[in-house]
Amino acid sequence: MNIVIFGPPGAGKGTQSNLIVQKFKLYQLSTGELLRNEIKNKTSLGNQISSIMRNGNLVSDKIVGDLIEKYVSNKLYKSRLIFDGYPRNLIQAKNLQDLLKKYDQKINIVLKLSVNLEIIKKRISERRTLENRADDNEEIAIKRFQTYENNVKPVIDFYKQSNLLKVVNGEASITEISDEISGLIESIKG
Ligand code: ADP
């Protein structure tokens, strides 16, 4: 199965994806992490995107689309992917649909983690001391939250139409959230 997990910055997508990966033997595809690696390795792509990311803006749909195609087209990951941080807007949602179709796959469930801005600010300031990410200061975190809010509505509607969307309370504890998500995944596995 393929899973999409999305939610605002600091919602815990990465944490939950990790847990799902272990439990259901899937591969995590985090676009944010792939992009940060490009910057860390100082690739030409990394140089192109570093200021975009540092300012809390989205990298172009083409760049992220090309990155994820490498995984979707790889037989090793066929129908075993969890998309963490992708899609982030309607164009990406439609691109993902087309891409999966091209490789004879589909999305089985879309998990949306809901968390309000006050909690996000608190989590991000805590994470900053741990991970030292260039985009984890309060001002940019708010910007990223707004970027998310501005783009997410059509994505939600898109997945609601196909009945794939499940909303999860991202303000609960890590274990509570993970139990809820596991239950949802089990229920569609049948
Ligand atoms: P968060 O969800 O906490 O903002 P991510 O690691 O998912 O963290 O993303 C960090 C940054 O990477 C985003 O602010 C954006 O610049 C870039 N990015 C990640 N995924 C995408 C995507 N699907 N499309 C465009 N840009 C992306």
Side-chain angles (χ1 to χ4, degrees):
M1 82 167 72
N2 288 312
I3 300 174
V4 167
I5 185 163
F6 74 103
K13 300 182 295 276
T15 307
Q16 294 301 331
S17 301
N18 265 321
L19 295 168
I20 302 171
V21 158
Q22 288 165 31
K23 189 154 181 187
F24 297 96
K25 307 254 177 307
L26 303 172
Y27 293 95
Q28 179 181 2
L29 203 170
S30 157
T31 43
E33 217 169 287
L34 291 177
L35 295 167
R36 276 189 292 280
N37 279 340
E38 296 287 331
I39 297 174
K40 204 169 76 193
N41 297 330
K42 297 194 163 53
T43 64
S44 68
L45 178 61
N47 294 334
Q48 255 182 71
I49 61 178
S50 75
S51 74
I52 299 174
M53 283 182 67
R54 204 171 40 240
N55 291 310
N57 293 314
L58 292 185
V59 171
S60 83
D61 298 329
K62 166 90 173 83
I63 290 176
V64 270
D66 288 348
L67 274 180
I68 67 155
E69 181 156 12
K70 286 188 197 154
Y71 290 81
V72 173
S73 63
N74 187 331
K75 285 205 179 65
L76 198 65
Y77 306 128
K78 188 167 182 187
S79 295
R80 297 176 75 179
L81 285 168
I82 167 152
F83 296 92
D84 159 9
Y86 191 92
R88 262 177 154 84
N89 59 32
L90 186 60
I91 294 176
Q92 294 184 4
K94 290 184 174 163
N95 286 347
L96 180 60
Q97 179 134 311
D98 293 344
L99 190 65
L100 288 171
K101 206 168 170 187
K102 179 173 164 190
Y103 294 98
D104 196 25
Q105 299 177 58
K106 62 175 184 175
I107 294 166
N108 300 79
I109 187 167
V110 177
L111 302 163
K112 173 178 180 278
L113 291 173
S114 295
V115 183
N116 78 43
L117 180 58
E118 286 316 303
I119 293 186
I120 301 268
K121 282 194 216 162
K122 193 164 154 273
R123 287 189 185 167
I124 286 188
S125 80
E126 286 163 4
R127 182 166 80 178
R128 205 172 123 209
T129 47
L130 298 173
E131 293 182 13
N132 197 23
R133 265 173 56 170
D135 60 353
D136 266 354
N137 67 60
E138 179 159 328
E139 188 196 337
I140 299 297
I142 293 171
K143 171 80 186 295
R144 279 155 57 214
F145 186 83
Q146 285 161 350
T147 305
Y148 170 81
E149 292 273 292
N150 290 340
N151 289 299
V152 78
K153 178 116 189 3
V155 180
I156 293 173
D157 293 341
F158 181 77
Y159 287 125
K160 261 192 196 154
Q161 277 168 22
S162 45
N163 253 332
L164 292 170
L165 185 76
K166 304 286 174 201
V167 180
V168 174
N169 174 12
E171 295 174 7
S173 73
I174 291 178
T175 332
E176 281 166 339
I177 300 172
S178 137
D179 287 348
E180 185 174 353
I181 290 179
S182 295
L184 290 167
I185 296 175
E186 297 285 2
S187 75
I188 61 150
K189 271 175 73 187

